[in-house]
Amino acid sequence: AEKLYYHVYKSKKRKRTISLKVDPQEGLIVQAPIKSSKAQIIQVIESKEDWIRKRLNRLQEGIDLFSFHTLEH
């Protein structure tokens, strides 16, 4: 499988979940609570890999070019 590249943004606010967003400019964005470990983030990414790849493929094909897809975990 092709490697997934992603940006992680950790929030100091009271965020309780790890969320994934596929953005046309940045690709996969992971928003996580400040105390989230790298292992927790990777686990969420791996568990949602099919969803992520479908969204990234749609962007590459030019579908949904200006829409965002967000998934809360």
Side-chain angles (χ1 to χ4, degrees):
E2 199 174 312
K3 284 186 179 183
L4 282 174
Y5 295 95
Y6 54 92
H7 302 278
V8 176
Y9 297 97
K10 289 196 173 183
S11 176
K12 292 180 182 178
K13 296 179 182 178
R14 295 182 160 224
K15 184 164 184 57
R16 294 183 182 187
T17 60
I18 296 173
S19 62
L20 306 176
K21 181 165 59 171
V22 177
D23 176 85
Q25 283 78 38
E26 294 189 58
L28 179 59
I29 298 171
V30 180
Q31 295 174 317
I34 193 88
K35 293 182 180 182
S36 299
S37 69
K38 184 176 180 179
Q40 289 172 316
I41 292 168
I42 290 171
Q43 180 182 15
V44 170
I45 291 170
E46 287 176 347
S47 73
K48 302 300 178 186
E49 187 174 355
D50 288 343
W51 181 88
I52 294 165
R53 290 196 185 279
K54 283 179 188 175
R55 297 309 175 278
L56 290 172
N57 286 337
R58 285 183 184 174
L59 286 177
Q60 288 175 352
E61 293 169 1
I63 301 171
D64 297 332
L65 198 55
F66 297 104
S67 64
F68 294 91
H69 298 280
T70 304
L71 179 68
E72 292 283 330
H73 182 78

